[in-house]
Amino acid sequence: MSVNKVILVGHLGKDPEVKYTASGVAVCRFSLATNETFKNKVGEAQKRTEWHSIVAWAKLAEICGEYLTKSKQVYIEGSIRTGKWTDRDGNERKSYEIVARYMQMLSPSGNGNGAKPKETTPIQPSQPSEEDN
């Protein structure tokens, strides 16, 4: 048995971008920032921001494209997908993205500070596999 599950709560770095495959399936991509606060060796507070590439498919993609905007806080559940390619110089490269399977908006309407979660119905539509798209 194995598990590939990611849970993230963060803020969108830019507005989502929705495109459609040749077969008409929606694909939404956006970046998500998560922050971690910790103390360094001398006890000073430090903050580290990680940027995550998120992709959503089908109905979830359409919903993300319609309701999410830059700086909104969002909860994402999904899995990690690795991409491999060769760059112009012939070097092997890898990229990582989170394939969202569940999304819940946390920011109140109209601002992105996310102080209090918005009452929403969790969105968890069935997802096509990437091979189908």
Side-chain angles (χ1 to χ4, degrees):
M1 182 173 126
S2 63
V3 176
N4 180 357
K5 184 172 185 174
V6 175
I7 298 174
L8 298 170
V9 175
H11 291 86
L12 273 73
K14 62 181 180 177
D15 288 344
E17 184 177 310
V18 178
K19 294 184 177 180
Y20 291 85
T21 65
S23 61
V25 177
V27 182
C28 181
R29 294 184 182 280
F30 57 93
S31 59
L32 189 73
T34 57
N35 297 309
E36 175 184 9
T37 305
F38 60 95
K39 291 189 178 186
N40 64 14
K41 292 179 182 179
V42 294
E44 298 170 336
Q46 301 288 306
K47 182 178 174 182
R48 178 180 14 232
T49 300
E50 290 288 335
W51 287 95
H52 310 275
S53 295
I54 312 294
V55 62
W57 292 89
K59 184 66 175 170
L60 183 58
E62 292 173 351
I63 291 167
C64 288
E66 184 173 347
Y67 294 104
L68 299 182
T69 57
K70 180 180 178 177
S71 79
K72 292 278 188 180
Q73 188 178 41
V74 66
Y75 172 95
I76 298 286
E77 279 186 28
S79 58
I80 297 174
R81 177 96 25 103
T82 306
K84 297 178 186 179
W85 77 95
T86 304
D87 68 15
R88 288 183 228 168
D89 299 327
N91 299 313
E92 294 277 324
R93 300 287 187 180
K94 283 186 180 182
S95 64
Y96 302 92
E97 67 183 6
I98 306 304
V99 178
R101 304 221 184 277
Y102 175 95
M103 180 276 292
Q104 184 166 358
M105 296 169 277
L106 300 177
S107 291
S109 294
N111 85 35
N113 67 13
K116 183 171 126 185
K118 179 180 180 183
E119 292 296 321
T120 62
T121 302
I123 302 164
Q124 190 172 13
S126 60
Q127 297 294 105
S129 69
E130 191 168 315
E131 292 77 34
D132 295 338
N133 297 311

